[in-house]
Amino acid sequence: VEIAGVESRKLKIQRIVSSYAATAIGQAKFYVNKRSTVCTGGTAVTGTPVKFNSLQTQTSSAVCRHFTANPTVGTLVGQVRAVAVTSEGVNATPQSDNGYKTIYEHNPENGPLQLNTAAETITIDAGGVIPGGTAPTVSFSIEYTEEP
């Protein structure tokens, strides 16, 4: 998963939540990375941003996408977080909050992760390892704000 910054706007990542389920219990490690260049190649699917406030008139300029074929990843600035998670192991759809885990939440003292240019990105991946369990299903939600 990759979310790219926006030229002439500041993209501030507030929170990233993962959902990981499988028909048999499995484990995975997810990495949140900051990169100085966007991913290239692979097969990208662009998501549609959803506003928390439907009265907000500004449309999102950020591009968030996931890949169905691995891309060549952008240049790593550094790893922000590494989080180990265990699937719920009941079925492919999480049945409780246990299926969701916050893997990043900004610290008010340090502020949120901030992307200042269109070249900067935050990526979330499993380090090239397929999450464990039978028929694993993984999804991520990224909450962010855009400011001038």
Side-chain angles (χ1 to χ4, degrees), residues 75-99:
T75 304
L76 181 66
V77 171
Q79 184 181 92
V80 175
R81 182 113 348 113
V83 179
V85 295
T86 300
S87 71
E88 224 176 49
V90 177
N91 57 38
T93 304
Q95 299 298 307
S96 69
D97 286 346
N98 293 334

Side-chain angles (χ1 to χ4, degrees), residues 5-140:
V6 177
E7 206 59 51
S8 74
R9 297 189 70 73
K10 290 178 176 40
L11 190 72
K12 296 182 178 184
I13 309 297
Q14 304 295 325
R15 188 163 77 137
I16 302 171
V17 178
S18 70
S19 171
Y20 169 40
T23 55
I25 292 177
Q27 294 184 330
K29 194 167 193 180
F30 298 125
Y31 302 89
V32 178
N33 299 304
K34 188 168 186 179
R35 300 184 182 278
S36 61
T37 56
V38 297
C39 297
T40 58
T43 305
V45 178
T46 302
T48 302
V50 176
K51 297 177 189 178
F52 281 14
N53 179 353
S54 59
L55 296 177
Q56 182 183 16
T57 57
Q58 176 186 333
T59 60
S60 176
S61 301
V63 176
C64 187
R65 55 194 188 148
H66 71 275
F67 295 85
T68 58
N70 288 336
T72 300
V73 295
T75 304
L76 181 66
V77 171
Q79 184 181 92
V80 175
R81 182 113 348 113
V83 179
V85 295
T86 300
S87 71
E88 224 176 49
V90 177
N91 57 38
T93 304
Q95 299 298 307
S96 69
D97 286 346
N98 293 334
Y100 299 94
K101 181 171 180 113
T102 298
I103 60 174
Y104 168 80
E105 190 156 27
H106 90 273
N107 177 338
E109 291 179 20
N110 299 331
L113 283 170
Q114 185 167 305
L115 303 176
N116 298 303
T117 70
E120 293 181 309
T121 70
I122 297 296
T123 60
I124 308 158
D125 61 64
V129 177
I130 296 173
T134 305
T137 301
V138 178
S139 64
F140 297 97

